[in-house]
Coordinates of all heavy atoms in Angstrom, one line a residue:
A393 N 84.1 87.9 80.6 CA 85.5 87.7 80.4 C 86.1 86.6 81.2 O 87.3 86.3 81.1 CB 86.2 89.0 80.7
S394 N 85.3 86.0 82.1 CA 85.9 85.1 83.1 C 86.7 83.9 82.5 O 87.8 83.6 83.0 CB 84.8 84.5 84.0 OG 84.2 85.5 84.8
A395 N 86.2 83.2 81.5 CA 87.0 82.1 81.0 C 88.3 82.5 80.3 O 89.3 81.9 80.5 CB 86.1 81.3 79.9
E396 N 88.2 83.7 79.6 CA 89.4 84.2 79.0 C 90.5 84.6 80.0 O 91.6 84.2 79.9 CB 89.0 85.3 78.1 CG 90.2 85.9 77.3 CD 89.9 87.1 76.4 OE1 88.7 87.4 76.3 OE2 90.8 87.7 75.8
T397 N 90.1 85.4 81.0 CA 91.1 85.9 82.0 C 91.6 84.8 82.8 O 92.7 84.8 83.3 CB 90.5 87.0 82.8 OG1 89.3 86.5 83.5 CG2 90.2 88.2 82.0
T398 N 90.8 83.7 83.1 CA 91.3 82.6 83.9 C 92.0 81.5 83.0 O 92.4 80.5 83.5 CB 90.2 81.9 84.7 OG1 89.2 81.5 83.8 CG2 89.6 82.8 85.7
L399 N 92.2 81.9 81.7 CA 93.0 81.0 80.8 C 92.4 79.6 80.6 O 93.1 78.7 80.3 CB 94.4 80.9 81.3 CG 95.1 82.3 81.7 CD1 96.5 82.0 82.3 CD2 95.2 83.2 80.5
R400 N 91.1 79.5 80.9 CA 90.4 78.2 80.9 C 91.1 77.2 81.7 O 91.1 76.0 81.4 CB 90.3 77.7 79.4 CG 89.2 78.4 78.7 CD 88.0 77.4 78.4 NE 86.8 78.1 78.0 CZ 85.7 78.1 78.8 NH1 85.6 77.3 79.8 NH2 84.6 78.8 78.4
L401 N 91.7 77.6 82.8 CA 92.5 76.7 83.7 C 91.7 76.3 85.0 O 92.3 75.6 85.8 CB 93.8 77.3 84.0 CG 94.8 77.4 82.9 CD1 96.1 78.1 83.3 CD2 95.1 76.0 82.3
C402 N 90.5 76.9 85.2 CA 89.8 76.5 86.4 C 88.6 75.8 86.0 O 88.4 75.3 84.9 CB 89.6 77.7 87.3 SG 88.5 79.0 86.6
R403 N 87.6 75.6 87.0 CA 86.4 74.9 86.7 C 85.3 76.0 86.4 O 85.4 77.1 87.0 CB 85.9 74.1 87.9 CG 86.9 73.0 88.3 CD 86.9 71.9 87.2 NE 87.9 70.9 87.5 CZ 87.6 69.7 88.1 NH1 86.4 69.5 88.4 NH2 88.6 68.9 88.3
Y404 N 84.3 75.6 85.6 CA 83.3 76.6 85.1 C 81.9 75.9 85.2 O 81.8 74.7 85.1 CB 83.6 77.0 83.7 CG 84.9 77.6 83.5 CD1 86.0 76.8 83.1 CD2 85.2 78.9 83.7 CE1 87.3 77.3 83.0 CE2 86.5 79.4 83.6 CZ 87.5 78.6 83.2 OH 88.8 79.1 83.1
Y405 N 81.0 76.8 85.5 CA 79.6 76.3 85.4 C 78.8 77.4 84.6 O 79.2 78.5 84.6 CB 79.0 76.0 86.8 CG 78.6 77.3 87.5 CD1 77.2 77.7 87.5 CD2 79.5 78.1 88.2 CE1 76.9 78.8 88.2 CE2 79.1 79.2 88.8 CZ 77.8 79.6 88.8 OH 77.4 80.7 89.5
Y406 N 77.6 76.9 84.1 CA 76.8 77.8 83.3 C 75.4 77.2 83.3 O 75.2 76.0 83.3 CB 77.3 77.9 81.8 CG 76.6 78.9 81.0 CD1 76.9 80.2 81.0 CD2 75.5 78.4 80.2 CE1 76.2 81.1 80.2 CE2 74.8 79.3 79.4 CZ 75.2 80.6 79.4 OH 74.4 81.5 78.6
P407 N 74.4 78.1 83.3 CA 74.4 79.6 83.4 C 74.7 80.0 84.8 O 74.5 79.3 85.8 CB 73.0 79.9 82.9 CG 72.1 78.7 83.1 CD 73.0 77.5 83.0
P408 N 75.1 81.3 84.9 CA 75.5 81.8 86.2 C 74.5 81.7 87.4 O 74.9 81.6 88.5 CB 75.9 83.3 86.0 CG 76.1 83.3 84.5 CD 75.2 82.3 83.9
K409 N 73.2 81.7 87.1 CA 72.2 81.6 88.2 C 71.8 80.2 88.4 O 70.9 80.0 89.3 CB 71.0 82.5 87.8 CG 71.3 84.0 87.9 CD 70.0 84.8 87.7 CE 70.4 86.3 87.9 NZ 69.1 87.1 87.8
D410 N 72.4 79.2 87.8 CA 72.0 77.8 87.9 C 72.7 77.2 89.1 O 73.8 76.7 89.0 CB 72.3 77.0 86.7 CG 71.8 75.6 86.7 OD1 71.5 75.1 87.8 OD2 71.7 75.0 85.6
Y411 N 72.1 77.2 90.3 CA 72.8 76.7 91.5 C 73.0 75.2 91.4 O 73.9 74.7 92.0 CB 72.0 77.1 92.8 CG 70.7 76.4 93.0 CD1 70.7 75.3 93.8 CD2 69.5 76.9 92.5 CE1 69.5 74.6 94.0 CE2 68.3 76.2 92.7 CZ 68.3 75.1 93.5 OH 67.1 74.4 93.7
K412 N 72.2 74.5 90.7 CA 72.4 73.0 90.6 C 73.6 72.7 89.8 O 74.4 71.9 90.1 CB 71.1 72.3 90.0 CG 70.0 72.4 91.0 CD 69.0 71.3 90.6 CE 67.7 71.4 91.5 NZ 67.8 70.5 92.7
A413 N 73.8 73.5 88.7 CA 75.1 73.3 87.9 C 76.3 73.7 88.8 O 77.3 72.9 88.7 CB 75.0 74.2 86.7
L414 N 76.2 74.7 89.6 CA 77.3 75.1 90.5 C 77.5 74.0 91.5 O 78.7 73.6 91.8 CB 77.1 76.4 91.1 CG 78.1 76.9 92.2 CD1 79.5 76.8 91.7 CD2 77.8 78.2 92.7
S415 N 76.5 73.5 92.1 CA 76.6 72.4 93.1 C 77.3 71.2 92.5 O 78.1 70.5 93.2 CB 75.3 72.1 93.8 OG 74.4 71.4 92.9
L416 N 77.0 70.9 91.3 CA 77.7 69.7 90.6 C 79.2 70.0 90.5 O 80.0 69.0 90.7 CB 77.1 69.5 89.2 CG 75.7 68.9 89.2 CD1 75.2 68.9 87.7 CD2 75.7 67.5 89.8
E417 N 79.6 71.2 90.2 CA 81.0 71.5 90.1 C 81.7 71.4 91.4 O 82.8 70.9 91.6 CB 81.3 72.8 89.4 CG 81.0 72.9 87.9 CD 81.8 71.8 87.1 OE1 83.0 71.6 87.4 OE2 81.2 71.1 86.3
I418 N 81.0 71.9 92.5 CA 81.5 71.8 93.8 C 81.7 70.3 94.2 O 82.8 70.0 94.7 CB 80.6 72.5 94.8 CG1 80.6 74.0 94.6 CG2 81.0 72.2 96.3 CD1 79.5 74.8 95.3
M419 N 80.8 69.5 93.9 CA 80.9 68.1 94.3 C 82.0 67.4 93.5 O 82.7 66.6 94.1 CB 79.5 67.4 94.0 CG 78.5 67.6 95.1 SD 79.1 67.5 96.8 CE 79.6 65.8 96.9
K420 N 82.2 67.8 92.2 CA 83.3 67.2 91.5 C 84.6 67.4 92.2 O 85.5 66.6 92.3 CB 83.4 67.7 90.1 CG 82.3 67.2 89.2 CD 82.4 67.9 87.8 CE 81.2 67.6 86.9 NZ 81.2 68.3 85.7
L421 N 84.8 68.7 92.7 CA 86.1 69.0 93.4 C 86.2 68.4 94.8 O 87.3 68.1 95.3 CB 86.3 70.5 93.4 CG 86.6 71.2 92.1 CD1 86.8 72.7 92.2 CD2 87.9 70.6 91.5
V422 N 85.0 68.2 95.4 CA 85.0 67.6 96.7 C 85.4 66.1 96.6 O 86.2 65.6 97.3 CB 83.7 67.8 97.5 CG1 83.6 66.9 98.7 CG2 83.5 69.2 97.9
E423 N 84.8 65.5 95.6 CA 85.0 64.0 95.4 C 86.3 63.7 94.8 O 86.8 62.6 95.0 CB 83.8 63.4 94.6 CG 82.5 63.5 95.4 CD 81.2 63.2 94.6 OE1 81.4 63.1 93.3 OE2 80.2 63.0 95.2
N424 N 86.8 64.6 93.9 CA 88.0 64.3 93.2 C 88.8 65.6 93.2 O 88.9 66.3 92.2 CB 87.7 63.9 91.8 CG 88.9 63.4 91.1 OD1 89.9 63.1 91.6 ND2 88.7 63.2 89.7
P425 N 89.4 66.0 94.3 CA 90.2 67.2 94.4 C 91.4 67.2 93.4 O 91.9 66.2 93.1 CB 90.7 67.3 95.9 CG 90.1 66.1 96.6 CD 89.5 65.2 95.6
M426 N 91.7 68.4 93.0 CA 92.9 68.5 92.1 C 94.2 68.2 92.9 O 94.2 68.5 94.1 CB 92.9 69.9 91.5 CG 91.7 70.2 90.6 SD 91.7 72.0 90.1 CE 93.1 71.9 88.9
K427 N 95.1 67.6 92.2 CA 96.4 67.4 92.8 C 97.2 68.7 93.1 O 97.1 69.6 92.3 CB 97.3 66.5 91.9 CG 96.7 65.1 91.7 CD 97.8 64.3 90.9 CE 97.2 63.0 90.4 NZ 96.6 63.1 89.1
G428 N 98.0 68.7 94.1 CA 98.8 69.9 94.4 C 99.7 70.2 93.3 O 99.9 71.4 93.0
S429 N 100.2 69.2 92.6 CA 101.1 69.5 91.5 C 100.4 70.2 90.3 O 100.9 71.1 89.7 CB 101.8 68.2 91.0 OG 100.8 67.3 90.6
D430 N 99.1 69.8 90.1 CA 98.3 70.5 89.1 C 98.0 71.9 89.5 O 98.0 72.8 88.7 CB 97.0 69.7 88.8 CG 97.3 68.4 88.1 OD1 98.4 68.2 87.5 OD2 96.4 67.5 88.2
L431 N 97.7 72.1 90.8 CA 97.4 73.5 91.3 C 98.6 74.3 91.1 O 98.5 75.5 90.8 CB 96.9 73.4 92.7 CG 95.5 72.8 92.9 CD1 95.2 72.6 94.4 CD2 94.4 73.7 92.3
S432 N 99.8 73.8 91.4 CA 101.0 74.5 91.2 C 101.3 74.9 89.8 O 101.8 76.1 89.5 CB 102.2 73.7 91.8 OG 102.1 73.5 93.1
I433 N 101.0 74.0 88.9 CA 101.2 74.4 87.4 C 100.3 75.5 87.0 O 100.7 76.5 86.4 CB 100.9 73.1 86.6 CG1 102.1 72.1 86.8 CG2 100.8 73.5 85.1 CD1 101.8 70.7 86.2
I434 N 99.0 75.5 87.5 CA 98.1 76.5 87.2 C 98.6 77.8 87.9 O 98.5 78.9 87.2 CB 96.7 76.2 87.7 CG1 96.1 75.0 86.8 CG2 95.7 77.4 87.7 CD1 94.8 74.4 87.4
A435 N 99.0 77.8 89.1 CA 99.5 79.0 89.8 C 100.6 79.6 89.1 O 100.7 80.8 88.9 CB 99.9 78.6 91.2
D436 N 101.6 78.8 88.6 CA 102.7 79.3 87.9 C 102.3 79.9 86.6 O 102.8 81.0 86.2 CB 103.7 78.2 87.6 CG 104.5 77.7 88.8 OD1 104.4 78.4 89.9 OD2 105.1 76.6 88.8
A437 N 101.3 79.3 85.9 CA 100.8 79.9 84.6 C 100.2 81.3 84.8 O 100.5 82.2 84.0 CB 99.8 78.9 84.0
V438 N 99.3 81.4 85.8 CA 98.7 82.7 86.0 C 99.7 83.7 86.5 O 99.6 84.9 86.1 CB 97.4 82.7 86.9 CG1 96.3 81.8 86.2 CG2 97.7 82.2 88.3
K439 N 100.6 83.3 87.3 CA 101.6 84.3 87.8 C 102.5 84.7 86.7 O 102.9 85.9 86.6 CB 102.5 83.6 88.9 CG 101.8 83.5 90.2 CD 102.7 82.7 91.2 CE 101.9 82.3 92.5 NZ 102.7 81.4 93.3
D440 N 102.8 83.9 85.7 CA 103.6 84.2 84.6 C 102.9 85.2 83.7 O 103.5 86.3 83.3 CB 104.0 83.0 83.8 CG 104.9 83.3 82.6 OD1 105.9 84.0 82.8 OD2 104.5 83.0 81.5
I441 N 101.7 84.9 83.4 CA 100.9 85.8 82.4 C 100.6 87.1 83.1 O 100.6 88.2 82.4 CB 99.6 85.1 82.0 CG1 100.0 83.8 81.2 CG2 98.7 86.0 81.2 CD1 99.4 83.6 79.9
Y442 N 100.2 87.1 84.4 CA 99.7 88.3 85.0 C 100.8 89.0 85.9 O 100.4 89.9 86.7 CB 98.4 88.1 85.8 CG 97.3 87.7 84.8 CD1 96.7 86.4 84.8 CD2 96.8 88.6 83.9 CE1 95.7 86.1 84.0 CE2 95.8 88.3 83.1 CZ 95.2 87.1 83.1 OH 94.2 86.7 82.2
D443 N 102.0 88.7 85.8 CA 103.1 89.3 86.6 C 103.1 90.8 86.3 O 103.3 91.2 85.2 CB 104.4 88.7 86.2 CG 105.6 89.4 86.9 OD1 105.6 89.3 88.2 OD2 106.4 90.0 86.2
Y444 N 102.9 91.6 87.3 CA 102.7 93.0 87.1 C 104.0 93.7 86.6 O 103.9 94.7 85.8 CB 102.3 93.7 88.4 CG 103.3 93.8 89.5 CD1 104.1 94.9 89.6 CD2 103.4 92.8 90.4 CE1 105.0 95.0 90.6 CE2 104.4 92.9 91.5 CZ 105.2 94.0 91.6 OH 106.1 94.1 92.5
K445 N 105.2 93.2 86.9 CA 106.4 93.8 86.4 C 106.5 93.5 84.8 O 106.9 94.4 84.1 CB 107.6 93.2 87.1 CG 107.8 93.7 88.5 CD 109.0 93.0 89.2 CE 109.1 93.5 90.6 NZ 110.0 92.7 91.4
K446 N 106.1 92.3 84.5 CA 106.1 91.9 83.0 C 105.1 92.8 82.3 O 105.4 93.3 81.2 CB 105.8 90.4 82.9 CG 105.9 89.9 81.5 CD 105.6 88.4 81.6 CE 105.3 87.8 80.3 NZ 105.0 86.3 80.4
I447 N 103.9 93.0 82.9 CA 102.9 93.8 82.2 C 103.3 95.2 82.1 O 103.2 95.9 81.1 CB 101.5 93.6 82.9 CG1 101.0 92.2 82.7 CG2 100.5 94.6 82.5 CD1 99.8 91.8 83.6
A448 N 103.9 95.7 83.2 CA 104.4 97.1 83.2 C 105.5 97.3 82.1 O 105.5 98.3 81.4 CB 105.0 97.5 84.6
Q449 N 106.4 96.3 81.9 CA 107.4 96.4 80.9 C 106.7 96.4 79.5 O 107.1 97.2 78.6 CB 108.4 95.3 81.0 CG 109.5 95.3 80.0 CD 110.3 96.6 80.1 OE1 110.8 97.0 81.2 NE2 110.4 97.4 79.0
E450 N 105.7 95.6 79.3 CA 105.0 95.6 78.0 C 104.3 96.9 77.7 O 104.4 97.4 76.6 CB 103.9 94.5 78.0 CG 104.5 93.1 78.0 CD 103.5 92.0 78.2 OE1 102.3 92.2 78.3 OE2 104.0 90.8 78.3
Y451 N 103.7 97.5 78.7 CA 103.1 98.9 78.6 C 104.2 99.9 78.2 O 104.1 100.7 77.3 CB 102.4 99.4 79.8 CG 101.0 98.9 79.9 CD1 100.5 97.9 80.8 CD2 100.0 99.5 79.1 CE1 99.2 97.6 80.9 CE2 98.7 99.2 79.2 CZ 98.3 98.2 80.0 OH 97.0 97.8 80.1
W452 N 105.3 99.8 78.9 CA 106.4 100.8 78.7 C 107.0 100.6 77.3 O 107.2 101.6 76.6 CB 107.6 100.5 79.7 CG 108.7 101.5 79.7 CD1 109.9 101.3 79.1 CD2 108.6 102.8 80.1 NE1 110.6 102.5 79.2 CE2 109.8 103.4 79.9 CE3 107.6 103.6 80.8 CZ2 110.1 104.8 80.2 CZ3 107.9 104.9 81.1 CH2 109.1 105.5 80.8

Side-chain angles (χ1 to χ4, degrees):
S394 296
E396 183 180 355
T397 58
T398 57
L399 313 173
R400 282 248 161 244
L401 292 175
C402 63
R403 300 291 177 97
Y404 305 90
Y405 79 97
Y406 184 85
K409 290 186 176 182
D410 186 343
Y411 72 92
K412 290 201 184 265
L414 175 53
S415 69
L416 289 172
E417 287 305 314
I418 292 168
M419 285 312 301
K420 287 178 190 174
L421 287 178
V422 168
E423 292 169 350
N424 190 15
M426 295 174 72
K427 293 187 192 92
S429 56
D430 292 339
L431 290 170
S432 293
I433 290 167
I434 292 168
D436 290 346
V438 296
K439 287 175 189 172
D440 179 55
I441 297 231
Y442 294 114
D443 175 66
Y444 71 92
K445 290 179 184 170
K446 185 175 167 184
I447 292 170
Q449 184 58 54
E450 289 170 3
Y451 273 108
W452 187 255

